[in-house]
Amino acid sequence: MHIPENYLSPSTCAVMTAAAVPVWVHSVKKIKEVLPKEKIAMIGVGAAFSFLGMMFNVPLVGGTTGHAVGGTLIALLFGPEAACLGVSIALLLQAVLFGDGGILAFGANCFNMAFVLPFVGYGVYSLIMKGASAGSKPGRAYLAAAVGSYVGICCAALCCAIEFGIQPMLFHDAAGNALYCPYDLSIAIPAMMIPHMAVAGVVEAAFTVAIYAFVRKTAPDMTYEAIRGQLPVREEGRKGHFPVYALVAVLIAAVPLGLLATGTAWGEWGADEIAEIAETGSPLGYTPQGMADGFSLDVLMPDYTFGEMSEVAAYILSAVIGAALLIIIFKLISIPLKGKNVANAS
C-alpha cells in the first residue's frame, strides 16, 4: 500500500499532502490534551509495532504481497490521533531511510494509512463497543478490534486504489499514454481490494488482536481505555512495560519471515519493470514519462538492504534501526512536556 515515487502526479501529491496537514495539526493538539507525558513517550513503541508489522510481507491473491499496518492497534493503545502521528513518522522513516514509499507521495500514504485506517478502524471499534465496558467484556473488545482493523485497512486500500486509478484519467500524453500510474479505476480498485479483503485484512485483524490482547494482559495501563479512565487498572498492572519491549525484540528477530513472500506489492513496481507488467492481459509496453523522468532519492538502505550484508542480516538491522529511532523520537517529543498539566480525557 506504500505508493512509490512518481506513481501520482505532483499535483495529486500536493492535494493529498494539503488534506493530511489539518489531520496532523489536530492530532498533535489532541495528543497534548489527552495523553500524559509518559504515554506520549510510549507512542514510539506503538509506532515500532506498526513499522515491524509492515516488514512482515505475506503473499496475496493475484501473486502480489501485502502486510499489516497496525494503525488501529496504535489507536487502541493511545487513541486515533496518536496512531496518526505514530504511523506518519514510521512512514517518513521508511521513505527517507529505506525508499519504501515515495517522498512526494508521503502525504498520500499518510492520508491512507495514518488517517483513514486508524480513524475508521477505531470508529468501528467504538461503534461495536458502544454501551459495553472493554474490561467487563474483553471478548467483545477483541472482536471489535478485529472488525475495526479489517474495515480500516480495506478503506485505506480503497483510497489508495482511487488515487492510483484517477491518474490515467487526468494525466496522459497526446497519444493517450499515462504519464504516471497507468491503471484506471476498473483495474486499480479490484487489484487492491480483492487481495486486501481476502488476505491482508485478515492479517491486519490477527496482528491487531494478538498484540492488543498481549498488551492488555501484560501492561493494561498501556491502553486508551485505561488512559481515559474507562478501564480500571489495578496497581500491579502499572509496574512496568518490560513484556511489551520484549515483544518488540521478538518481532525484530522474526522479521526475516517477511522475506519468504516473493513478488512485489501491487502498484509498487519499479520504473524499469512496469513496461513488462501485464495487468490488462498483455504487457503495458511503455514506461510512463512521469515515472521515467520523475523524482528519485538515494537512500541509506534501499529496500532494506545494506551493501554486501546478507539479506537476512540487513533486514534485521533495518528493523532495529526503525524501531529504535521511533522509540527515541517519541521520547524526545515528550521531553518538552515535562511539568505541563496534561489532563486525561473523560
Side-chain angles (χ1 to χ4, degrees):
M1 203 186 300
H2 290 69
I3 300 175
E5 216 69 86
N6 307 314
Y7 268 73
L8 304 183
S9 71
S11 56
T12 304
C13 292
V15 169
M16 297 308 300
T17 301
V21 168
V23 182
W24 288 324
V25 172
H26 163 76
S27 295
V28 170
K29 290 181 179 179
K30 185 70 173 181
I31 289 168
K32 291 170 67 176
E33 291 174 1
V34 174
L35 297 184
K37 170 180 173 287
E38 65 273 11
K39 299 304 180 186
I40 294 176
M42 290 298 291
I43 296 173
V45 177
F49 283 137
S50 174
F51 182 92
L52 296 171
M54 288 188 270
M55 296 185 73
F56 284 91
N57 296 308
V58 295
L60 299 182
V61 176
T64 58
T65 62
H67 52 71
V69 176
T72 303
L73 169 64
I74 306 177
L76 294 173
L77 300 181
F78 304 105
E81 291 82 10
C84 178
L85 192 59
V87 175
S88 293
I89 295 181
L91 291 172
L92 181 62
L93 291 183
Q94 288 176 326
V96 300
L97 292 180
F98 309 105
D100 194 3
I103 299 297
L104 296 181
F106 175 67
N109 284 325
C110 288
F111 184 88
N112 301 335
M113 289 185 276
F115 169 46
V116 173
L117 195 164
F119 277 90
V120 170
Y122 189 76
V124 172
Y125 171 87
S126 300
L127 184 63
I128 295 174
M129 290 299 294
K130 189 174 182 179
S133 167
S136 62
K137 295 187 176 181
R140 183 169 174 178
Y142 297 147
L143 174 62
V147 175
S149 56
Y150 178 89
V151 174
I153 197 170
C154 288
C155 288
L158 177 60
C159 290
C160 184
I162 292 172
E163 291 151 17
F164 278 137
I166 63 175
Q167 298 306 303
M169 299 167 54
L170 300 177
F171 309 101
H172 49 78
D173 61 21
N177 291 330
L179 296 177
Y180 302 98
C181 176
Y183 303 115
D184 62 21
L185 293 171
S186 67
I187 297 174
I189 290 179
M192 288 292 293
M193 294 308 297
I194 293 174
H196 278 81
M197 294 177 70
V199 181
V202 177
V203 172
E204 178 80 5
F207 180 79
T208 298
V209 172
I211 296 182
Y212 181 50
F214 179 86
V215 173
R216 276 177 57 107
K217 291 179 180 179
T218 62
D221 65 307
M222 194 174 146
T223 61
Y224 198 40
E225 286 93 349
I227 293 170
R228 301 178 69 186
Q230 298 172 343
L231 179 64
V233 178
R234 291 175 294 183
E235 191 59 35
E236 57 267 29
R238 302 180 183 273
K239 291 184 178 179
H241 302 123
F242 173 79
V244 177
Y245 284 104
L247 179 58
V248 171
V250 169
L251 290 175
I252 289 173
V255 292
L257 293 174
L259 296 171
L260 298 177
T262 59
T264 304
W266 196 91
E268 296 186 25
W269 306 287
D272 58 338
E273 59 182 342
I274 194 167
E276 304 302 320
I277 301 299
E279 285 294 297
T280 59
S282 60
L284 183 63
Y286 70 95
T287 300
Q289 185 179 347
M291 292 186 183
D293 303 330
F295 174 80
S296 64
L297 176 70
D298 292 329
V299 297
L300 178 64
M301 302 179 70
D303 296 325
Y304 306 98
T305 62
F306 190 68
E308 299 300 320
M309 184 179 292
S310 73
E311 188 177 32
V312 169
Y315 212 58
I316 292 176
L317 177 61
S318 299
V320 170
I321 292 173
L325 283 176
L326 287 166
I327 292 171
I328 291 170
I329 286 169
F330 279 95
K331 289 282 187 182
L332 294 175
I333 289 173
S334 71
I335 290 175
L337 299 177
K338 184 175 183 180
K340 290 187 177 181
N341 288 323
V342 184
N344 290 343
S346 58

